[in-house]
Amino acid sequence: MQSIQRASRLFAAALLSLCAAAQAQDLPVVSIQAVTGTAAFSGVHYKNAIRLAIDEVNARGGVNGQKINLIERDNASDKGQAINLANQAIDRDNALLVLGPSTTADSVAVAPIFNDRKTPFLSFATSEAILKAGPWSLKMQQAPAAISPLMARYVLEKTPIRKVAIVFDRTNEGLIEYKNFFRDPFKAGGGTVATEEAVVSADSNFQPLATKLKAQEVDAVYLGVYTEQAANIIQQLSQSGLDKVRYLGPITLASAKFIAMAGKAGEGTITVSDYVPGLDRPLNKSFEAAFQARYGAAPDAWGASGYTLAQVAIAALKEAGPGPTREKVRDAFQKLRDVPIVSGSGLWNQQDRRPQFGAVVQVVRDGKLVAQ
């Protein structure tokens, strides 16, 4: 009898030990970002801000007593590589949650994989196209429909701009949506779109475009392209004599890199972003100080987006409870409300996986973005 009781006690102790060990296991989270390639202008900042946020929460003891094991991958701005890394995150890394990819195009490419394999991924995609793949596709970013109309209204109400030419990347669904949701309310409010010119990210010679736009006599040019290409277009248009037009564009123009590359030709550029540096909010102050101390530079809108995505991911892991599964993380995300973030209004909310948290029109003045 005593031997049976002793065996029972040993079994119970072993069971508790196993439970404690399982409780103490790290939570595998994979970050897939475009650290190199054409989208590195955002991917590097996403990667750095996510790492900062994860290190901070781990230093405080982790999530529900478990630390996050952040596994970082670079898809080099390539869809094929993003697909390979998605499968690797599921099979080899056993990810509870995947953060990224950095772009809408790459996110749309991997969405069917994550949904078929029932693994939640929280991407930086702006387009709601990723939601069509299924319930395992999660969004942090607001859709262009919530942001671009703000700029259209500002342009019509606060500037003399009435005739615009649009240049856009025809291969990027997110950028296409940004330009459409600027174009339609701009035209509805009395503005004119003289022409829409499609480009691809590999294009670099814009002299023919400059000749065509000069003949249109437009007040402004909307650039629905990536940061480096936008600055290149502006430089070439300016050198061709289009030095009096204003430039407009989505969040891709809301960065220090764009301002530096565009130079004086980019003065007066109007953009819209969900991040304004220097806001007097505790989380913003601590984030900006920590980012500056760690990386030697102030965070821009991309860094703020990366930190915001990490805050939402951490909140989902916490809501999922101790020892979470992929399904619990996905279900926990659906319940999230009023998550403190550094972007927009300072609180992240969603309805049916469609986030909304506010944005601000900004203008480049004296080499800086100034909120309007």
Side-chain angles (χ1 to χ4, degrees):
M1 184 69 176
Q2 288 180 344
S3 61
I4 294 175
Q5 291 176 338
R6 183 171 180 274
S8 298
R9 287 196 298 271
L10 289 173
F11 177 78
L15 185 60
L16 288 171
S17 179
L18 286 172
C19 290
Q23 184 83 352
Q25 284 180 354
D26 290 344
L27 305 175
V29 172
V30 174
S31 174
I32 301 175
Q33 308 307 331
V35 181
T36 57
T38 56
F41 67 88
S42 61
V44 170
H45 295 283
Y46 289 158
K47 170 184 174 291
N48 289 343
I50 290 169
R51 168 57 66 183
L52 176 64
I54 298 302
D55 285 352
E56 287 175 343
V57 75
N58 281 342
R60 295 193 297 268
V63 177
N64 298 321
Q66 296 173 275
K67 292 192 175 182
I68 298 172
N69 175 25
L70 182 64
I71 303 163
E72 297 171 323
R73 308 294 187 201
D74 174 19
N75 76 293
S77 307
D78 180 78
K79 288 183 184 178
Q81 183 68 355
I83 290 170
N84 290 336
L85 291 175
N87 283 305
Q88 181 177 301
I90 296 166
D91 294 326
R92 193 182 79 179
D93 300 325
N94 296 313
L96 275 173
L97 174 64
V98 176
L99 310 181
S102 301
T103 70
T104 292
D106 293 345
S107 298
V108 169
V110 300
I113 296 169
F114 286 118
N115 278 276
D116 287 347
R117 304 292 301 281
K118 294 181 170 51
T119 302
F121 82 111
L122 177 58
S123 90
F124 287 100
T126 53
S127 173
E128 293 185 350
I130 68 163
L131 302 181
K132 297 175 183 178
W136 300 87
S137 298
L138 311 177
K139 281 178 95 274
M140 182 283 292
Q141 296 276 33
Q142 300 172 104
I147 296 178
S148 285
L150 299 176
M151 186 167 65
R153 184 163 60 246
Y154 175 86
V155 169
L156 290 168
E157 294 178 356
K158 304 294 183 180
T159 79
I161 295 170
R162 291 299 178 270
K163 188 177 182 182
V164 172
I166 293 176
V167 180
F168 68 99
D169 185 342
R170 62 179 173 81
T171 67
N172 188 299
E173 193 158 357
L175 291 172
I176 291 171
E177 288 186 20
Y178 269 119
K179 70 95 176 172
N180 287 346
F181 283 107
F182 165 79
R183 178 198 62 197
D184 294 348
F186 178 72
K187 290 172 67 175
T192 299
V193 174
T195 184
E196 292 192 42
E197 302 293 329
V199 300
V200 297
S201 59
D203 290 342
S204 59
N205 179 12
F206 300 104
Q207 294 304 317
L209 175 66
T211 301
K212 185 172 184 177
L213 295 187
K214 282 180 71 174
Q216 298 288 341
E217 297 184 344
V218 295
D219 303 318
V221 178
Y222 179 96
L223 298 173
V225 298
Y226 280 156
T227 301
E228 294 184 7
Q229 190 172 52
N232 186 18
I233 292 172
I234 288 174
Q235 289 289 350
Q236 292 191 40
L237 296 190
S238 178
Q239 292 164 8
S240 299
L242 278 165
D243 52 359
K244 301 298 182 184
V245 299
R246 297 281 293 275
Y247 294 98
L248 320 171
I251 189 175
T252 52
L253 276 58
S255 74
K257 185 172 186 178
F258 166 77
I259 295 172
M261 293 184 67
K264 291 183 179 179
E267 276 289 307
T269 294
I270 303 170
T271 184
V272 62
S273 170
D274 52 34
Y275 175 66
V276 178
L279 289 182
D280 188 17
R281 297 194 303 225
L283 184 58
N284 287 59
K285 286 184 174 181
S286 63
F287 159 65
E288 289 168 7
F291 194 96
Q292 177 75 48
R294 184 155 184 171
Y295 300 114
D300 60 8
W302 307 112
S305 290
Y307 198 78
T308 291
L309 182 136
Q311 296 301 319
V312 174
I314 291 166
L317 291 170
K318 184 176 181 180
E319 178 70 25
T325 63
R326 290 171 174 173
E327 186 174 9
K328 286 181 179 179
V329 172
R330 183 203 64 182
D331 293 346
F333 179 91
Q334 301 276 30
K335 300 175 184 177
L336 294 182
R337 298 293 184 276
D338 293 333
V339 178
I341 58 172
V342 297
S343 302
S345 66
L347 290 175
W348 183 92
N349 278 288
Q350 61 152 344
Q351 185 171 4
D352 297 326
R353 295 179 293 152
R354 291 171 171 82
Q356 192 161 7
F357 46 91
V360 177
V361 173
Q362 300 184 64
V363 177
V364 177
R365 290 182 181 151
D366 298 323
K368 296 181 179 179
L369 284 166
V370 179
Q372 303 303 295

